[in-house]
Structure formats: C-alpha cells, structure tokens
Amino acid sequence: QSAARMHARAVAMVNRGDYVRARQALATAAARRPDADTQARIQGTLAYVLAQTGQIDVAEAMCRAELERPSISGATVGVLAGQLGAFAQRRGDLEQAAAWLERGIDAFDSSTVERARLLMNRSLVNMQRLRLDDAASDAADAHEIYLAGDAPSEAAMAQHNLGYINLLRGNIAEALQEMYEARPLAGTTPVTTAVCDTDRAEALRDA
C-alpha cells in the first residue's frame, strides 16, 4: 500500500483509540517515501497520538515543525493549525487556541467538512471564553456545512451545541428545544450520547 493509504489506515485506528497499532502503521507509512504533504500529515497524526498519551509539548513541536515545510498544501496547513488549536485548548490557553483555529479555518474552502470541524472546535473555545455570539455563529455555520455535505449526525451535534449556547445565555426553553430536536441523530456514539444527555440534564435542572 502507498504511504497515503497507510496513513488513512492509521487515522482509522486513531479514531478507534487503537494508538499502538496506529503508531506502527504511521511508521510504515513514513518508510514508504511519502511526498511532503503526506509526510506532514503522518507527523501530524503521530503528534495527535503523542498528545493523547500525555506528550503534548512534543506533539506541539512536531506540528510547528511540519508547518515550516514550504511545499505542503493549504488543507494540510489547516489540519496542523487545527491540531495546534486543540492542543492550546487542552492547556487552557484559549486565546492561542482561537488564533490557531482561525488560521486552520481560513486554510479551507468555505464548504468543506474539515472547515466545519474547526468551526465546531472554535465554537467550543468561544463558549469557554463566554463569547457566546461568536460561538453561536461558528456552530450555525458548521451546521449549514454539515447539512449541505450530507453529514446528518455532525449537523445534529452542531444543533445540540447551539442549544447549549442558549442554555449559557439563560434561554432554557430554546435550549431544550434545540437539544430535543438534535438528540436522535447527535447521540450516535457512546461519547456523543453522554454529552447530549449530560447537557440536557443540566438544562432540565435549570428549567
């Protein structure tokens, strides 16, 4: 298999939480003479794995180094910048997280699912910053992109987040309505189910 295909397999393993096999697949991909773009994505995925296992400083340094490559595509810049935004958010540096996410968002075309994912991440950062209008704008934009891209579960999660923003604003009735409408499609994994049910319980408690 090509380096790009091996990287795609590694990403699937990462998404399942199988980090040991993912690292093996990434090492194999890196040994198959990838082009600059694929090599940067391989390193970016490895950085994510390292961050998940507690080596966030190393992960950040790796992503920053890959961003220095002169021949990587705008989409790869977006992926790496988005990861650096996520790392900064985990450290609690919300200003830097927002700045990295903005760079990542700007690297993608307006209608791409990748852009929508980063909009969702920036929306979460802005909720933490209590910039609720900005958070709602990003969640609404992501919702529209997901609907147009035939990604109903992701669209429902964006709608759920809009409900949570209404909760933060004190608009309990609107929050519950948004969450109720989103719940059937948003709660498609154990993680998203837990998020939806926890947030809805919080809204019901405050009602």
Side-chain angles (χ1 to χ4, degrees), residues 5 23 41 54 59 69 72 85 104 145 148 162 181-182:
R5 288 188 177 183
R23 290 190 69 165
R41 287 183 178 246
R69 289 180 180 269
I72 61 175
I145 293 170
L162 285 166
E181 291 177 0

Side-chain angles (χ1 to χ4, degrees), residues 4-199:
R5 288 188 177 183
M6 282 303 301
H7 174 247
R9 289 185 60 189
V11 169
M13 294 170 190
V14 167
N15 290 339
R16 295 196 300 269
D18 190 352
Y19 298 138
V20 173
R21 290 182 62 208
R23 290 190 69 165
Q24 294 170 346
L26 290 167
T28 300
R32 295 191 175 174
R33 299 175 180 267
D35 58 30
D37 221 45
T38 303
Q39 176 63 20
R41 287 183 178 246
I42 290 168
Q43 291 298 100
T45 304
L46 178 57
Y48 177 85
V49 172
L50 292 174
Q52 293 298 104
T53 54
Q55 301 181 64
I56 194 165
D57 291 341
V58 176
E60 284 189 330
M62 290 174 63
C63 287
R64 288 176 184 272
E66 293 307 313
L67 279 173
E68 296 299 318
R69 289 180 180 269
S71 53
I72 61 175
S73 69
T76 297
V77 168
V79 169
L80 294 169
Q83 286 191 192
L84 284 164
F87 298 157
Q89 182 182 14
R90 286 178 59 176
R91 286 200 325 271
D93 189 343
L94 300 181
E95 296 299 321
Q96 188 172 77
W100 278 118
L101 288 166
E102 181 173 2
R103 181 175 176 183
I105 289 164
D106 289 346
F108 288 110
D109 293 336
S110 61
S111 60
T112 59
V113 169
E114 291 84 359
R115 179 184 174 91
R117 292 191 187 109
L118 297 189
L119 286 166
M120 288 283 283
N121 290 347
R122 191 171 67 178
S123 179
L124 294 174
V125 168
N126 280 327
M127 285 187 220
Q128 292 178 271
R129 299 164 79 197
L130 296 180
R131 297 181 59 166
L132 300 184
D133 288 346
D134 291 338
S137 177
D138 281 348
D141 287 348
H143 182 256
E144 292 302 315
I145 293 170
Y146 283 137
L147 285 178
D150 194 24
S153 295
E154 290 84 352
M157 199 65 215
Q159 182 179 6
H160 173 88
N161 285 4
L162 285 166
Y164 192 78
I165 293 164
N166 268 319
L167 176 61
L168 294 176
R169 286 171 164 160
N171 300 330
I172 308 301
E174 293 89 340
L176 285 169
Q177 182 64 30
E178 294 275 15
M179 292 179 184
Y180 177 79
E181 291 177 0
R183 178 62 175 78
L185 289 175
T188 55
T189 71
V191 171
T192 57
T193 296
V195 169
C196 290
D197 290 349
T198 300
D199 291 348

